Amino acid sequence: GIQVEQSPPDLILQEGANSTLRCNFSDSVNNLQWFHQNPWGQLINLFYIPSGTKQNGRLSATTVATERYSLLYISSSQTTDSGVYFCAVVFDAGGTSYGKLTFGQGTILTVHP
Amino acid sequence: DAGVIQSPRHEVTEMGQEVTLRCKPISGHDYLFWYRQTMMRGLELLIYFNNNVPIDDSGMPEDRFSAKMPNASFSTLKIQPSEPRDSAVYFCASSLTRATGQETQYFGPGTRLLVL
């Protein structure tokens, strides 16, 4: 079936460390977003990245659509980076799936001072 | 812009009561989505609207759930009667169609619902 798998499920870092989160998806997509859910539960947009590479400060993301994966890089991590990181995709179903974001189960990141 | 606005932020009710969740999308956005987040099922899409018209409600769990969008700036999600298993965080999101097609969905702060 249609799946979005994220790894690792949990990640513990010391402040200043770098990390890579991965998102694998089972079929062609025409939308892929990365979100950060902070400890207060708010879902914050990080990237809209169905293909290619983007950077925003200490964060960057790369999606290789042909190989069906996306990576989120966090450099020089800070305690405020803690939370859950979600990958969400809209599978390409010939125009009938617009907006139907399917979420992965998330990666729980804890950054210690 | 104020972003997507949801109310109430927290709701505690007793089983059998009617619950109404409210959402104001970002001004000018033409798509509105309702999602639910639970520990067991994660984040899942319930229903979405385009230009106030419901497009896909296949994620709505059962007839106890209904959603409306009477105008471009307001939507409601109603649960009647509520049950303890409806306890979850309900998110509203909106997006704007562009010439390039799919676009970023922006999420509201969510409504945390507890049904006792």
Side-chain angles (χ1 to χ4, degrees), chain B:
Chain B
D1 200 310
V4 177
I5 299 172
Q6 292 187 246
S7 64
R9 295 291 305 275
H10 303 272
E11 178 82 22
V12 180
T13 190
E14 293 187 345
M15 183 173 62
Q17 297 297 306
E18 178 178 294
V19 175
T20 299
L21 311 181
R22 297 172 176 80
C23 174
K24 176 180 169 56
I26 293 172
S27 178
H29 280 193
D30 56 348
Y31 277 83
L32 183 141
F33 308 85
W34 283 100
Y35 291 87
R36 178 172 69 175
Q37 185 176 29
T38 61
M39 288 296 293
M40 292 297 295
R41 299 175 65 88
L43 275 153
E44 53 184 349
L45 176 67
L46 300 178
I47 184 171
Y48 73 93
F49 297 81
N50 176 220
N51 293 322
N52 315 336
V53 176
I55 302 301
D56 188 332
D57 66 354
S58 59
M60 296 285 262
E62 48 196 275
D63 292 346
R64 297 184 298 106
F65 285 69
S66 62
K68 295 182 179 180
M69 193 165 185
N71 58 63
S73 59
F74 183 65
S75 177
T76 60
L77 178 67
K78 187 175 294 186
I79 308 172
Q80 167 62 19
S82 58
E83 297 183 2
R85 59 190 168 129
D86 301 331
S87 298
V89 181
Y90 291 81
F91 288 99
C92 177
S94 69
S95 69
L96 174 65
T97 306
R98 299 188 191 277
T100 52
Q102 311 271 334
E103 270 296 341
T104 303
Q105 292 186 28
Y106 295 91
F107 280 68
T111 295
R112 191 173 298 272
L113 173 65
L114 177 61
V115 183
L116 302 174

Side-chain angles (χ1 to χ4, degrees), chain A residues 6 33-35 37 43 84-87 103-106, chain B residues 37:
Chain A
Q6 293 186 242
Q33 291 184 236
W34 283 97
F35 294 90
Q37 188 166 38
L43 279 165
V84 185
Y85 289 80
F86 288 102
C87 168
F103 282 79
Q105 288 303 304
Chain B
Q37 185 176 29

Side-chain angles (χ1 to χ4, degrees), chain A residues 62-88:
Chain A
T62 295
T63 297
V64 184
T66 53
E67 298 187 22
R68 299 181 182 170
Y69 73 88
S70 183
L71 302 174
L72 177 69
Y73 306 96
I74 304 174
S75 64
S76 303
S77 59
Q78 300 176 358
T79 56
T80 52
D81 295 332
S82 296
V84 185
Y85 289 80
F86 288 102
C87 168

